[in-house]
Amino acid sequence: MSNAQKDDPKEAQKDVSQDRQKQMLADHFGQLARAKENNRKVAYTFVPGNLTELLGIFDMRRVYPDITARPAARGQTRAGYSRAAERQGHNEDVCTYVKCDIGMMSQGNKGPTGEQLPAPDLLLLSYTGCFTFLKWFELLQKEYNCELAMLHVPYVAGERPTEEMRQYVAKQLREEIIPRLERISGKKYDEAALKERLKRSAQAEDDLVWVLESAKHRPSPIDGYFGAVYYVGPIFTAFRGTEPCRDYYRALRAEVQGRLDRHEGPVTPDGTLTKEKFRLVVEGPPNWTHFRDFWRIFHDEGAVFVASTYAKVGGLYDEGFRHDQTDDPLLALADYCMGCYTNLSLPRRVGLLEKYVKDFQADGFVFNSVKSCNSFSAGQLVMLRELEKRTGVPGAFIETDLVDPRYYGHANIKNRIESYLQMLAQRMGSTASLGTGS
Ligand code: SF4
C-alpha cells in the first residue's frame, strides 16, 4: 500500500477538553520522568483489564506500553521504530504496537512528551484476551530484568462470566497480586482507599457513558470513534479513580451538553461538522499514523461515527458495569477485567454492534481491519456478514494498520469509502449526496 497523504502540520481545531487532557498527560509524563529521583515505584501494564485503581493505592506510577507506542509511531524517524525492531529480528507480521515499543526502547525510550520513560519495577499483566501481551512482557522482562506478575483473566466465551470465573480472578488478586504489590511498594493494602478510588471511577464512568450516548441525538454532538479516542484516554489509563479524572469527565459532559444545546455537530481537526449526512458504526481500532487524514476521509463526506467498539476496549461501561457496583472491590476488578471488549466472544461482539446500529439509528457500518492485530481482526469478515444479515444494512470493509505507516493506503481507503457512502446515499433515497460536511 502507498504511504500518501501524511497528516498536514496545520494546527488542528480542538475541544477545550482536549487541551485539558493534554495538560493532564504532560503532568503525568513529567511525574514519570522524575519517578526514580522521587523514589516512586513504576509498573508497566496494558489498557484492557488494567488495575489502575489498585496500583494507585500502592502509590505506583503507571506506564501503558500500548498507549506510549502510539505517539511514538507518529513522531518516529524515517526509518521508523517498527523497522528498528525488525532489524533486531522481529518479524514483519508481529503486532506493530510491540515492534514500535521495542524500537522506541532501543532508541532512548522517550514518551509522547519527549521525556524519558522510567524503567519498570514491575510488569503487571492483567489481561490475557490477546496472547501477544504475554510475549510482549516477556521481551520487556528480558530487557529490564524486573519482576513480572500475571493475573490470569478467563476468556468469556458465553454471555456472562460465571461466578467461578469471578471468584477465580478475585482470589488471584487477593493471594498473588496484592501481596506482590505490597512487597514491591513497601505499603499495606488499604481496602477503604481502594473503594474510594472505585467510587470516583464510577462517577467518571457515568459521565463517559452520558457523553458516548449523546450520539443518539441528531445531529450527533460527538464523533464516537475519532473523537471518542480522546474522551476515553483518562479513564482507560493512569487517571481512573483520581479526582482530576472525575473532574475531567464532569467538564467534558458539560462541554458536550453545550454542543447539544446549540445543535452543533462534532469538532473535527478541520472545524465543526455542520451537516451530518451519514451516521455510521465502526468496528476495529483506528490507524494512528495518519489519524487526521483517516478522519478527514469521513468528515469531508459528512459521515459521523455515532458508536464504535474501539471506545470499549478499556471498559464496557455502556452495558451497565461500574467499578463500585459490588461491595467486594476485588470482585468489581474481576468483572471489569473480564468485561473488556476484546475479551468477549464473537457472538457477543456482533450482538453489541447490532445494538449500536439500531439504538444509534446508523445508516451503515464500517469494519477497519488492522493488519497486525489478530485479536481484533480474526473473524471480522464473518462478523460483518452476520451483522448485515441481522440489520439488513450493508457494511464496508477496509484495511489499515495501527502504527505501521506502510499499511495505510489513502487512495484505496478513500475510493472504497466514497463508493460505500454513494451506495448508502442511494439506499437512503438520497437526501444525502456526497460532498463536504464541514
Ligand atoms: S495483537 Fe492487538 S490486542 Fe494484541 S497486543 Fe497487539 S494491538 Fe493489542
Side-chain angles (χ1 to χ4, degrees):
M1 291 188 193
S2 83
N3 185 16
Q5 299 280 325
K6 277 269 183 204
D7 280 349
D8 66 53
K10 206 170 67 187
E11 187 67 23
Q13 187 166 328
K14 289 190 181 122
D15 293 324
V16 176
S17 57
Q18 258 177 281
D19 284 329
R20 186 178 181 140
Q21 190 180 132
K22 202 172 161 192
Q23 190 53 50
M24 287 165 75
L25 285 169
D27 293 346
H28 171 67
F29 284 104
Q31 286 172 4
L32 277 173
R34 295 186 299 278
K36 298 293 171 185
E37 67 190 60
N38 291 335
N39 288 323
R40 305 297 282 272
K41 299 292 182 191
V42 176
Y44 281 24
T45 195
F46 293 114
V47 169
N50 67 66
L51 302 172
T52 294
E53 296 91 344
L54 191 60
L55 289 168
I57 63 164
F58 288 102
D59 221 4
M60 294 181 81
R61 296 273 183 244
R62 305 168 285 275
V63 174
Y64 302 77
D66 45 346
I67 294 287
T68 48
R70 297 175 195 173
R74 288 189 191 191
Q76 66 188 324
T77 59
R78 190 168 166 75
Y81 290 128
S82 291
R83 285 202 178 106
E86 283 166 17
R87 280 196 299 275
Q88 290 176 41
H90 297 284
N91 191 288
E92 201 176 312
D93 288 331
V94 169
C95 164
T96 39
Y97 274 177
V98 179
K99 284 193 295 186
C100 222
D101 189 39
I102 302 272
M104 186 176 90
M105 202 166 62
S106 70
Q107 294 180 27
N109 211 23
K110 299 257 173 67
T113 53
E115 292 165 289
Q116 190 165 21
L117 295 170
D121 299 288
L122 170 70
L123 298 165
L124 176 59
L125 179 63
S126 58
Y127 176 65
T128 54
C130 170
F131 198 61
T132 304
F133 283 122
L134 178 57
K135 294 294 169 196
W136 188 345
F137 267 1
E138 277 185 1
L139 290 165
L140 294 197
Q141 192 192 26
K142 198 161 156 253
E143 184 66 28
Y144 291 115
N145 195 22
C146 63
E147 294 206 31
L148 192 156
M150 178 169 162
L151 176 73
H152 179 238
V153 179
Y155 178 63
V156 181
E159 267 299 299
R160 297 270 174 268
T162 62
E163 188 53 32
E164 288 74 19
M165 287 156 83
R166 300 176 75 219
Q167 296 295 343
Y168 170 66
V169 177
K171 186 171 187 287
Q172 290 178 75
L173 287 168
R174 197 176 305 111
E175 296 178 6
E176 292 171 38
I177 302 297
I178 289 175
R180 185 85 80 99
L181 293 173
E182 286 182 323
R183 184 168 53 71
I184 292 171
S185 69
K187 294 184 188 308
K188 290 302 286 176
Y189 171 60
D190 180 345
E191 188 160 289
L194 179 59
K195 281 185 172 175
E196 230 3 79
R197 282 192 180 239
L198 296 182
K199 203 163 131 204
R200 285 197 291 267
S201 297
Q203 289 164 345
E205 287 153 7
D206 280 345
D207 285 332
L208 172 66
V209 170
W210 184 93
V211 167
L212 296 178
E213 302 240 316
S214 72
K216 288 180 178 168
H217 291 266
R218 280 178 192 266
S220 169
I222 63 159
D223 187 288
Y225 185 43
F226 295 110
V229 298
Y230 291 104
Y231 303 153
V232 297
I235 219 164
F236 278 14
T237 60
F239 303 94
R240 206 179 56 234
T242 64
E243 284 170 17
C245 180
R246 182 198 56 199
D247 296 347
Y248 167 83
Y249 284 98
R250 190 37 52 102
L252 175 65
R253 179 172 175 162
E255 181 179 289
V256 173
Q257 180 68 62
R259 285 214 294 278
L260 258 184
D261 294 344
R262 295 188 296 274
H263 303 286
E264 285 176 3
V267 177
T268 77
D270 299 317
T272 300
L273 191 133
T274 54
K275 192 155 192 292
E276 176 187 286
K277 294 182 180 173
F278 303 98
R279 297 168 63 82
L280 304 175
V281 166
V282 59
E283 147 77 11
N287 164 275
W288 298 110
T289 55
H290 297 71
F291 185 81
R292 195 165 157 184
D293 179 69
F294 192 32
W295 190 348
R296 186 180 291 126
I297 288 173
F298 292 93
H299 75 66
D300 264 0
E301 306 299 345
V304 176
F305 285 107
V306 287
S308 65
T309 51
Y310 187 67
K312 317 295 154 46
V313 288
L316 203 60
Y317 303 111
D318 52 347
E319 293 273 279
F321 169 79
R322 294 290 181 274
H323 268 92
D324 68 346
Q325 70 186 4
T326 148
D327 260 356
D328 182 344
L330 302 188
L331 276 181
L333 292 177
D335 289 337
Y336 165 71
C337 291
M338 287 188 284
C340 291
Y341 179 71
T342 42
N343 200 41
L344 305 184
S345 65
L346 292 183
R348 273 205 71 199
R349 284 169 66 185
V350 174
L352 198 63
L353 283 157
E354 181 188 1
K355 186 167 169 300
Y356 289 160
V357 170
K358 290 176 178 166
D359 291 358
F360 287 77
Q361 299 184 314
D363 305 306
F365 55 86
V366 176
F367 276 60
N368 180 32
S369 181
V370 295
K371 177 192 165 286
S372 59
C373 178
N374 289 330
S375 176
F376 245 105
S377 309
Q380 272 183 330
L381 263 179
V382 179
M383 288 170 68
L384 180 133
R385 297 290 169 239
E386 180 63 22
L387 194 56
E388 285 181 328
K389 216 187 305 168
R390 289 194 200 178
T391 60
V393 175
F397 195 87
I398 52 173
E399 291 167 284
T400 68
D401 190 55
L402 295 161
V403 284
D404 191 334
R406 294 170 292 184
Y407 294 97
Y408 181 85
H410 167 83
N412 188 7
I413 298 164
K414 191 168 166 61
N415 284 345
R416 281 202 199 187
I417 292 304
E418 281 182 1
S419 310
Y420 176 65
L421 295 178
Q422 195 88 55
M423 189 260 291
L424 282 189
Q426 279 167 4
R427 276 175 55 90
M428 290 157 70
S430 226
T431 44
S433 56
L434 291 190
T436 184
S438 302

